[in-house]
Amino acid sequence: MSDVVFTADFTSETQWVAGRSWAYPGGGPTNPADDKLDHLTADPAYSRSGTFRATRRADGLWDTGLLTTEGSAEGFTVRTGDRLDARVRLPVGVGAWPAIWTWRDGGNEVDVFEYHPDNPALLEFSNHVRPSGRDLRADAISPGGAVDLSVTFGRRSVVWSLNGKRVFADGRGVGVGWYASLIVNLSVSAGRYHPHPDAATTELSYTVESLVVHRTAHWPPGV
């Protein structure tokens, strides 16, 4: 049995902080060393509806939406054994770099997913706590398509599911005492690893339709 311990309300200013994160140098607003054109903004139009937007700026950067539980009034963190379920509608435009991920104290990162429309049928799953990951190709993955993602942050294995089917168990896990804040955002690729947006593109977006975290009283056997 598990209990729902977190249901995302992106409009909530007690659940989420907008436009800054210590996953970015100095808390933001930019992170060029990570091949990002991001200029984080707290403008609610970029994140608070659950549609995460990016718009081109005159200086060559992009105003981008980011929400995090880090530093919020509620201070929610995921922890070992939790399961995160999310329904995501993927972006269409090349250069979009959406992600749901975790972060605390300079690390503790697990990427629920990353996506780049230049690889239209591929999702990226990564555990940076005990390094492992998988690039998953599937017919269900496409620009503009909706996917259901589920990740269990297991002690011995982080397990990813796509549309109700287990697709990757890393056999590494996050350990016993792990916990971290949530980040939901849309970055823009700068061109080193994935193409930057076309010159004619002025806006990018993707939508997180739901995000829920479940917690069990005891870890499931073997995780």
Side-chain angles (χ1 to χ4, degrees):
M1 295 292 292
S2 65
D3 295 322
V4 173
V5 293
F6 184 83
T7 300
D9 174 2
F10 295 126
T11 67
S12 171
E13 296 186 2
T14 61
Q15 272 193 1
W16 300 96
V17 171
R20 68 176 189 271
S21 169
W22 289 105
Y24 284 57
T30 63
N31 191 4
D34 199 25
D35 196 41
K36 294 179 176 181
L37 295 174
D38 303 12
H39 186 281
L40 299 181
T41 176
D43 185 335
Y46 285 77
S47 58
R48 291 291 186 180
S49 69
T51 294
F52 291 77
R53 300 172 56 233
T55 59
R56 190 186 293 272
R57 295 164 50 97
D59 61 6
L61 299 177
W62 287 65
D63 285 326
T64 57
L66 177 147
L67 294 177
T68 179
T69 62
E70 171 191 23
S72 69
E74 293 184 11
F76 177 79
T77 56
V78 288
R79 69 188 194 195
T80 302
D82 285 357
R83 187 185 84 240
L84 183 151
D85 297 334
R87 182 169 178 81
V88 172
R89 186 163 298 278
L90 299 170
V92 173
V94 169
W97 182 358
I100 299 173
W101 45 304
T102 69
W103 185 263
R104 179 177 63 85
D105 296 341
N108 294 282
E109 179 180 352
V110 176
D111 298 324
V112 173
F113 89 102
E114 296 176 88
Y115 181 71
H116 301 274
D118 57 292
N119 285 327
L122 184 146
L123 288 178
E124 300 173 21
F125 306 142
S126 302
N127 176 2
H128 296 279
V129 180
R130 295 176 173 175
S132 60
R134 181 182 179 187
D135 292 345
L136 175 74
R137 294 186 183 275
D139 291 341
I141 305 164
S142 64
V147 292
D148 291 313
L149 299 165
S150 181
V151 179
T152 299
F153 303 97
R155 175 176 45 135
R156 298 176 183 168
S157 188
V158 180
V159 179
W160 283 261
S161 296
L162 172 68
N163 295 338
K165 179 181 179 181
R166 180 180 291 199
V167 291
F168 179 49
D170 71 359
R172 300 284 287 166
V174 293
V176 174
W178 176 85
Y179 65 98
S181 300
L182 289 172
I183 299 175
V184 184
N185 76 304
L186 177 62
S187 287
V188 178
S189 296
R192 187 188 316 156
Y193 306 119
H194 293 272
H196 55 69
D198 297 334
T201 302
T202 59
E203 182 167 350
L204 301 164
S205 66
Y206 89 108
T207 301
V208 179
E209 297 180 358
S210 64
L211 190 160
V212 176
V213 178
H214 304 258
R215 182 165 295 162
T216 56
H218 301 284
W219 293 311
V223 303

